[in-house]
Amino acid sequence: MNMDIYEFSTLYLQPYKTRGDEILPELCPFCHGGPKGEKYKFALNTERKVFNCMRKNECGRTGTFRELCNHFGVTSMNDSTNRYEGKTFVPPKTQTGPVQSKSESYLTSRGFSRGTWERRKVAEHYGKNGKPVIAMPYYENGQIVLMKYRTTDNPSQHWREPKGKPIFWGMELCDPEFPLVVVEGEMDALALDESGVRNAVSVPSGASDLSCIEHCWEWLEKFRSIILWVDNDKAGKDLFSKLIIKLGQFRCYAVESPYKDANECLLAEGAESVKKAVELAKEVPFAGIDRLADAEIIDFSRIERVCSGFKKLDATLGGFRMGELSVWTGINSSGKSVLLSQILVEAIDQGVSVFAYSGELTIPLFKSWVHLQMAGPNNLISEFDHTEREYIGVVSGEVAGRLEQWYRDRFYVYNAYTAKEPQQLLSLCEIAARRYNCKVFLIDNLMTTNLEGSKGDNFYLAQSMFVGRFVDFAKRHMVHVHLVAHPRKTEGRLNKMDIAGSGNITDRADNVIALHRFSRDEKLSGKYMNNYFGYDALIQIFKNRFRGKQDVEFGVKYDIDSKRFCQADEPDALMKKYSWETGAVDLCDALVGV
């Protein structure tokens, strides 16, 4: 269906307001207002049929109404009358005659029979030098509106008679009940006709003049399917790109051939090969739409994953799968950062490289915590801390050197205290994934990223978009992202809805996990402690998309010296030795099998 501007706006630009000759949607259909959700920055002019986005530095998209329609996969009303109003086309006046011997020899050498070129009304014309040239008349409604010529001595030499109307060559022979085949030149159209493919037309001048589409728009609209067979070179690829935009990608199919063009295919393999190539034309993929039958079936047991080191957590989630994002939450000082750094250590012990952004810890402090977890209680030495006035566990210089050697090419960090631009952080994650093959990423946390100064609802929108980018990043690079989001509440146990910001954060996440640290008052009052007596914290699984599990929780203990967590029913896990000490990589075990 052809749409005018008002029909299109009603279907695709709501809500919008009008101002003079302009339709102003609330959000730009291309950038959607950007992270700040800027409104009414996009304008569609109803008179000039052009659009533009006024977010110049961030979007700035401009174009015609037809291009806007193509973006949405629909067609616009034919506006060629306005575009060509007042332009006068002059019918060709050159006299032509039947094809004679020299032109006949040339056409025969190209693989064409007399019946084919006569059906296409190919003729001959004698130029001023007395040499014959091949004449190809372009018909519209029974009248010749354009004449094109080519020499037999130099096939690349061709020209059009001035002031003719550029239309498709051979359109009067085509039936809209069958697919239309569009080729780059008349010789290719003749090759298709020779092979029994009669619904074939050629553009008048390659990619240099596609005004034929505007002139023939109503005729083109009659065809449900259009097959494109362009030359197999750079110019042909450029023409292909332009044609699918103008003709509508939704109805276009592409011929794949090892030959330069259809005529070369005819000469090399014959008519049946040409016909077969057209029959096997493949639909032009439409971004965002695939056939389910063509989708690859995933062997979930083969999906790469990393274990957390907590058997109950891994048994519930099936491990942290690549291509997924986990959101972690918990009130301040609950231990989220410490627990997640321990999970990074577990990933390194499984031979996986990691990247961490810590917006609340300096790198030296972050490193000291990680070293304590890597070393474990058995490798700490006691030193007196004059500030705390007590003995604390520290990692010796000898052990620290062994640790650094162990994780040197597996542990990478963002080397700035605060991420000034979310895009910068994402770009560095891209580099870490591609250059250093990092598979596990920690973003700690959302609140420390400067979401372009957004406030209020716009902040939550920007936050949601930020999470969405990392969801895409995880799937694109097949990595796992751990992202920390603060809750609205400042005390007590949490649920999924307590995570600050838009609900899109938890909707987009594959896993949503909380860490609740039991306060001194909770322990003294006995609240929760009947079930979790002697525990220091509680891990709560609010969501697991892959297995559909939720509302699973279990208690953990915490060792303040080594900063290690362990399941309360497995206290020996505090003494776990990593591969820097044992020399054996600890792979994710069968407990997480699907």
Side-chain angles (χ1 to χ4, degrees):
M1 179 182 71
N2 291 343
M3 287 191 183
D4 65 22
I5 282 185
Y6 297 100
E7 290 173 329
F8 175 88
S9 300
T10 300
L11 285 175
Y12 296 101
L13 299 183
Q14 290 277 21
Y16 66 81
K17 59 185 181 181
T18 59
R19 183 180 62 197
D21 294 332
E22 292 182 331
I23 292 174
L24 306 173
E26 185 173 273
L27 296 176
C28 169
F30 296 96
C31 67
H32 306 289
K36 297 181 181 179
E38 295 177 78
K39 297 180 179 180
Y40 302 111
K41 295 293 184 179
F42 182 89
L44 173 60
N45 189 286
T46 59
E47 290 298 315
R48 295 189 295 119
K49 296 184 172 65
V50 295
F51 68 85
N52 74 296
C53 177
M54 290 170 278
R55 298 183 66 248
K56 298 298 183 185
N57 296 328
E58 302 295 332
C59 178
R61 291 289 292 268
T62 62
T64 65
F65 173 55
R66 177 165 292 160
E67 291 169 336
L68 183 61
C69 287
N70 287 335
H71 175 74
F72 284 87
V74 298
T75 54
S76 63
M77 279 289 193
N78 179 24
D79 58 1
S80 61
T81 302
N82 291 334
R83 183 171 177 181
Y84 294 98
E85 187 175 0
K87 187 174 181 64
T88 302
F89 298 111
V90 179
K93 300 177 181 178
T94 304
Q95 297 296 315
T96 60
V99 170
Q100 300 297 323
S101 58
K102 190 170 184 179
S103 297
E104 181 177 351
S105 296
Y106 174 76
L107 292 169
T108 302
S109 71
R110 299 295 294 262
F112 313 135
S113 62
R114 177 175 293 275
T116 295
W117 72 66
E118 287 184 347
R119 183 167 43 255
R120 294 265 163 173
K121 299 181 181 179
V122 177
E124 190 174 82
H125 166 69
Y126 282 87
K128 294 180 180 179
N129 58 7
K131 292 184 177 182
V133 295
I134 297 173
M136 290 157 291
Y138 283 63
Y139 281 86
E140 182 181 53
N141 298 323
Q143 303 294 320
I144 300 176
V145 296
L146 175 70
M147 188 72 76
K148 189 173 176 182
Y149 307 96
R150 66 186 302 136
T151 65
T152 57
D153 297 332
N154 183 3
S156 63
Q157 186 177 357
H158 48 79
W159 65 95
R160 287 163 34 175
E161 192 162 333
K163 298 185 179 181
K165 183 178 182 180
I167 60 172
F168 289 93
W169 188 61
M171 55 188 290
E172 78 282 359
L173 301 175
C174 296
D175 185 348
E177 292 298 315
F178 301 95
L180 177 69
V181 185
V182 178
V183 294
E184 195 164 340
E186 293 85 1
M187 297 298 107
D188 297 319
L190 284 169
L192 288 165
D193 199 318
E194 183 72 29
S195 304
V197 181
R198 302 290 163 77
N199 257 35
V201 296
S202 71
V203 294
S205 298
S208 62
D209 181 9
L210 293 180
S211 60
C212 54
I213 293 176
E214 279 74 19
H215 293 306
C216 304
W217 186 256
E218 291 184 2
W219 176 77
L220 287 168
E221 283 292 85
K222 298 176 182 178
F223 294 89
R224 291 172 56 90
S225 301
I226 298 178
I227 300 171
L228 306 179
W229 191 341
V230 297
D231 287 4
N232 196 7
D233 54 21
K234 184 181 183 304
K237 292 177 181 177
D238 292 341
L239 174 60
F240 180 82
S241 298
K242 292 178 180 178
L243 285 174
I244 62 172
I245 291 174
K246 288 179 173 292
L247 296 175
Q249 187 174 350
F250 66 94
R251 59 174 172 169
C252 286
Y253 295 75
V255 171
E256 295 181 357
S257 170
Y259 300 101
K260 178 182 178 295
D261 52 36
N263 192 192
E264 187 176 290
C265 182
L266 173 67
L267 292 172
E269 295 191 5
E272 284 302 315
S273 180
V274 173
K275 189 174 182 180
K276 190 72 172 178
V278 173
E279 291 173 350
L280 294 178
K282 296 182 179 180
E283 60 187 13
V284 176
F286 203 95
I289 299 178
D290 288 323
R291 284 185 171 86
L292 179 60
D294 294 334
E296 181 182 355
I297 295 179
I298 299 174
D299 182 352
F300 291 105
S301 66
R302 293 180 174 272
I303 295 179
E304 187 179 0
R305 69 193 86 195
V306 175
C307 284
S308 68
F310 298 91
K311 288 186 177 180
K312 289 186 178 179
L313 184 59
D314 293 330
T316 303
L317 304 182
F320 294 114
R321 290 177 172 79
M322 300 300 111
E324 294 184 351
L325 179 141
S326 296
V327 168
W328 293 76
T329 192
I331 62 176
N332 288 339
S333 302
S334 60
K336 301 182 296 297
S337 298
V338 178
L339 178 62
L340 283 164
S341 65
Q342 182 175 330
I343 287 176
L344 294 186
V345 174
E346 290 285 340
I348 290 172
D349 194 49
Q350 295 164 54
V352 176
S353 296
V354 304
F355 177 88
Y357 160 71
S358 179
E360 295 184 345
L361 299 176
T362 62
I363 291 179
L365 180 58
F366 180 76
K367 180 178 179 179
S368 67
W369 285 12
V370 168
H371 273 202
L372 290 171
Q373 293 173 322
M374 289 176 171
N378 290 334
N379 293 295
L380 301 182
I381 60 175
S382 182
E383 285 188 358
F384 187 75
D385 187 321
H386 293 279
T387 302
E388 298 293 333
R389 295 184 176 277
E390 61 181 13
Y391 283 92
I392 61 172
V394 297
V395 177
S396 68
E398 186 271 332
V399 171
R402 292 176 63 187
L403 294 177
E404 289 171 353
Q405 186 64 29
W406 178 58
Y407 65 73
R408 173 163 297 279
D409 294 325
R410 291 182 186 166
F411 209 139
Y412 299 88
V413 293
Y414 183 87
N415 65 0
Y417 185 66
T418 301
K420 295 180 180 179
E421 290 289 343
Q423 185 56 47
Q424 179 188 12
L425 176 56
L426 182 59
S427 297
L428 290 174
C429 287
E430 296 265 0
I431 293 171
R434 298 175 67 179
R435 177 178 291 184
Y436 302 115
N437 197 31
C438 291
K439 291 286 190 178
V440 178
F441 290 77
L442 170 61
I443 309 300
D444 185 11
N445 57 63
L446 270 179
M447 296 299 291
T448 60
T449 58
N450 177 17
L451 295 172
E452 302 183 14
S454 303
K455 296 180 181 180
D457 291 340
N458 285 340
F459 172 77
Y460 293 137
L461 176 62
Q463 189 172 261
S464 176
M465 292 180 66
F466 179 78
V467 174
R469 290 175 187 172
F470 272 96
V471 170
D472 294 339
F473 165 74
K475 296 184 187 308
R476 188 168 62 253
H477 292 285
M478 284 306 291
V479 301
H480 195 97
V481 177
H482 294 284
L483 189 147
V484 179
H486 280 306
R488 296 187 183 93
K489 294 167 60 174
T490 58
E491 59 182 18
R493 292 179 64 176
L494 307 175
N495 60 54
K496 184 174 69 173
M497 302 311 296
D498 288 326
I499 296 177
S502 168
N504 287 338
I505 294 176
T506 53
D507 290 343
R508 292 184 170 187
D510 296 281
N511 306 303
V512 180
I513 309 164
L515 181 64
H516 174 73
R517 178 181 179 183
F518 291 121
S519 66
R520 181 173 178 274
D521 289 342
E522 285 175 329
K523 291 180 179 180
L524 290 176
S525 67
K527 188 178 182 181
Y528 309 130
M529 301 314 293
N530 290 334
N531 295 325
Y532 300 109
F533 180 75
Y535 299 173
D536 296 308
L538 189 67
I539 291 180
Q540 302 167 276
I541 301 170
F542 295 143
K543 174 185 176 182
N544 170 235
R545 175 175 287 135
F546 181 78
R547 290 186 166 183
K549 294 185 178 181
Q550 61 181 16
D551 300 328
V552 177
E553 59 185 33
F554 60 92
V556 292
K557 283 192 168 187
Y558 177 67
D559 179 57
I560 193 169
D561 287 330
S562 65
K563 295 192 176 296
R564 284 187 178 184
F565 284 92
C566 71
Q567 282 183 206
D569 56 355
E570 291 189 335
D572 291 345
L574 282 178
M575 304 300 173
K576 179 177 180 177
K577 293 183 178 182
Y578 291 114
S579 55
W580 70 268
E581 193 173 6
T582 66
V585 175
D586 186 14
L587 298 177
C588 202
D589 61 34
L591 181 65
V592 300
V594 176

